[in-house]
Amino acid sequence: MEALLTNLLSNTQGVFAYATVFCVLVACGLGIPLPEDISLILGGFLAHKGAASLPVMMGVGFLGILAGDSLIFNFGRKLGSNVGRKQGGFFARIITPEKRAKVEGLFEKHGQKIVMIARFMPGVRAVTYFTAGSVGMPYWRFILWDGLAALLSAPLFVFLGFHFGSELDYLVVQIKKSQTAVLIGLAVVATVWFLWQRRKAAAAKVSAEQAVEPVVVPVIPQDGGKSSSRSTPFLDAAENQIAAGRASELQK
């Protein structure tokens, strides 16, 4: 595939170069096994040779990525949830039941941010965007996350092809190595985030249990507390003296 892309793009220039890079990126978005990053690097290489403008090629790369991703997203919205659950059809070859189940699990754990993460995961990119459309994700939210990721990747790869155009073969080899490192890094970050979330949930549960204290119900006397003020020894003695004085007056 890399040799095919090199032969296809290396001899193009001007408008034809932009159109070819754009079409290749759209095909990548649809799940056709073409290396997206190599296509962008070759676009930068054309700018290095003077066959294209660097800023224009960066814009073409960015728009080509969004166009391809938007197509697969809309296919997911229109075709519904059957693809990836049944055999047969063009998309069934790309969106297998195993990949579909994996992506749905990622959606449950990470939410819609997985759209941005999938930009750097070539194996599940098309499946992720198709699933995002089939589960009813709003398009504006999809294009926001996807656009942020494309804004990071497209200009970068085009610039690398432009800057290291004289060492193109070496650059391609290094990009392949870096992709493996990025995938490992993402796996490590996801694992740390998951463990941190579990620890946070456990700490919140302990805090909630400690906050619950037994409720003490006060005991109310049967007379409603009205006679509590008459139960002191001083008042009892005074009442006895008054009673004795009245008795002596009656005897007189």
Side-chain angles (χ1 to χ4, degrees), residues 19 23 27 69 83 99 114 140 144-145 150 153 158 178 211-212 237 246:
C23 292
D69 295 345
V83 176
K99 288 184 178 179
I114 192 62
W140 69 266
L144 172 65
W145 288 108
S153 62
V158 173
S178 65
V212 177
R246 291 179 178 175

Side-chain angles (χ1 to χ4, degrees), residues 170-187:
Y170 174 78
L171 176 62
V172 171
V173 172
Q174 295 303 315
I175 289 296
K176 290 181 178 179
K177 292 181 180 180
S178 65
Q179 284 181 343
T180 303
V182 168
L183 291 176
I184 294 174
L186 288 174

Side-chain angles (χ1 to χ4, degrees), residues 105-120:
L106 291 174
F107 264 99
E108 291 179 1
K109 290 181 180 179
H110 305 291
Q112 298 172 347
K113 295 184 293 296
I114 192 62
V115 170
M116 185 174 184
I117 299 174
R119 166 57 47 201
F120 309 100

Side-chain angles (χ1 to χ4, degrees), residues 219-232:
V219 178
I220 301 176
Q222 294 182 353
D223 59 356
K226 295 179 180 179
S227 61
S228 60
S229 60
R230 300 176 59 85
S231 60
T232 60

